[in-house]
Amino acid sequence: MKRPTILVLGAGYGGLSTVVNLQKSLGTDEADVVLINKNDYHYESTWLHEAAAGTMSPDSVRYDISSVIKSEKVKFVKAEVTAIDVEGKVVTTNVGTHAYDYLVISLGFEGETFGIPGLDKYALSIANVNAARQIRDHIEYQFANWSLDEVKDDSRLTIIVGGAGFTGIEFLGELGNRVPELCKEYDVPAEKVRVLCVEAAPMVLPGFDPELVDYAVRQLKAKGIEFSIGTPVVEATSEGVNLKKGEDEFEFIKAGTVVWAAGIRGNRLIEQTGIENMRARVKVEKDLRAPGHSDVFIVGDCALMINEETNRPFPPTAQIAMQQGDMCANNIIALMKGEITSPFTPDLKGTVCSLGDDDAIGDAFGKKITGKTASFMKKMIDNRALFMIGGMGLTIKKGKFNLLK
Ligand code: FAD
Ligand code: NAD
């Protein structure tokens, strides 16, 4: 019998976790496993805010895919997927086409601008490792130029962060630590710098524990960060952003840097597949297959599952993407053996949100934690993710060991 080809698209948390589990469970002659990713490295999306602020180098955030896959079991193809034909069972990339028997779509997230004018053009987004590097360099460029400008425009030193969700808050936490370093490096008086977070909802981290949110806001304000709450960004221009402050009231804020962290969507390629989706996220069946496509699995941020307890979608997180990768591998193997697949249920261990390298808030194993305890927990979670994919070797090489900072 012909060996099945299992094609995995994307080497983020969901894709790598699928592949690592397939290579653990399958013998070399049982299937042709092919992993396609646009880079030959994986990046820890959950650390991108650190690279964007410049508190961690972009290189520290990524590692070679070859270091975690066994080449005798998984063929890695560095290519950009350009089209997915689920009827013809073929995937097109910039370097060729690949037929499949089983397909795993794990192409991750993209920034969502909700059609707000100017954001695509003028705002930066913490979307991948290169985009994070661009934000770091852009902020440094503004500091360097302010120092050189003969006529100084202090708005060069204003950084606006759109969105006070987890990404926005974690980025602000890093900026709180990074800005004083930049001021020192570029001889910029601290009072000239303005870091402003703009949030549309009436609170920071909407839906999260109010006591923990209060702690986070207090800590960030103590680092000089300002908040404008209940004031959606309605436009971005080359000069800054326009905020809606009331029925017919707007305020334009001039800024040298605008970082958009106000929402994500699934990968746009999903929208061209003909599979029903909402902002490129597919409401998958319980076993993670796309409805109506018994050979297509979707994991990670491109998948959407409803939490039956709250009747709301589970948030798109690395925690869930990795667990889905495990289950997806098991279910493909079940199908290969002619067995029935299992339903996926997330095992949610909580949420920890960093506020810089030395502080955090969290709701972990049912307990509220803050400060160094939460920060310790966050680094342990980061290290665990490395361990799950690449074992002790990868954890030692890339892990965070300043645990008690
Ligand atoms: P991704 O990790 O986005 O990986 C997708 C992969 O597909 C990438 O390697 C990409 O290069 C590749 N790809 C994309 N398009 C193509 C293409 N056309 N062709 C080939 N390859 C392609 N979640 C948590 O649980 N905990 C956290 O602490 C946390 N912190 C976060 C912090 C930040 C700053 C951000 C932005 C997100 C954070 N998240 C966190 C969310 C988490 O990062 C995502 O849920 C997770 O990355 C989703 O994993 P994924 O495998 O679906 O996709
Ligand atoms: P999000 O959707 O969770 O938050 C976006 C925020 O932007 C919301 O608070 C929203 O009200 C606000 N917003 C929307 N439109 C706006 C506008 N026009 N003007 C101003 N504000 C606006 O997005 P995110 O923070 O990027 O998180 C994405 C996913 O990644 C979530 O599932 C999150 O749980 C996960 N994540 C987790 C962690 C963690 O666990 N530590 C860290 C980062 C991200």
Side-chain angles (χ1 to χ4, degrees), residues 215-236:
Y215 175 91
V217 172
R218 235 181 9 254
Q219 295 295 89
L220 293 174
K221 281 187 175 170
K223 290 183 181 176
I225 288 153
E226 297 172 46
F227 288 88
S228 176
I229 303 301
T231 54
V233 171
V234 289
E235 186 192 15

Side-chain angles (χ1 to χ4, degrees), residues 114 116 162-168 170 198-201 206 231-233 260-264 315-317 351-353 378:
F114 309 105
I116 297 170
F166 286 102
T167 301
E170 290 201 324
V198 180
E199 167 58 48
T231 54
V233 171
W260 189 243
I264 58 154
T317 63
T351 303
V352 184
C353 174
K378 180 78 169 85

Side-chain angles (χ1 to χ4, degrees), residues 108-110 264-268 270 278-281 301-302:
F109 68 92
E110 293 182 16
I264 58 154
R265 54 171 5 264
N267 193 300
R268 281 179 170 76
I270 297 272
M278 280 164 278
R279 290 201 277 146
R281 300 188 70 203
D301 284 5
C302 293

Side-chain angles (χ1 to χ4, degrees), residues 202-224:
M203 71 180 282
V204 164
L205 293 175
F208 203 52
D209 182 279
E211 204 184 314
L212 294 174
V213 173
D214 280 353
Y215 175 91
V217 172
R218 235 181 9 254
Q219 295 295 89
L220 293 174
K221 281 187 175 170
K223 290 183 181 176

Side-chain angles (χ1 to χ4, degrees), residues 214-263:
D214 280 353
Y215 175 91
V217 172
R218 235 181 9 254
Q219 295 295 89
L220 293 174
K221 281 187 175 170
K223 290 183 181 176
I225 288 153
E226 297 172 46
F227 288 88
S228 176
I229 303 301
T231 54
V233 171
V234 289
E235 186 192 15
T237 72
S238 58
E239 299 270 282
V241 297
N242 211 1
L243 310 186
K244 189 170 189 318
K245 299 206 99 170
E247 190 71 29
D248 287 313
E249 202 191 323
F250 296 88
E251 182 186 355
F252 186 79
I253 301 186
K254 218 174 159 204
T257 307
V258 178
V259 176
W260 189 243

Side-chain angles (χ1 to χ4, degrees), residues 79-121:
E80 178 159 357
V81 176
T82 52
I84 303 168
D85 175 359
V86 290
E87 304 305 331
K89 297 182 194 293
V90 65
V91 168
T92 307
T93 74
N94 59 339
V95 293
T97 56
H98 296 262
Y100 65 82
D101 296 292
Y102 300 104
L103 179 67
V104 181
I105 304 178
S106 41
L107 290 167
F109 68 92
E110 293 182 16
E112 174 60 276
T113 55
F114 309 105
I116 297 170
L119 279 174
D120 279 339
K121 190 162 177 200

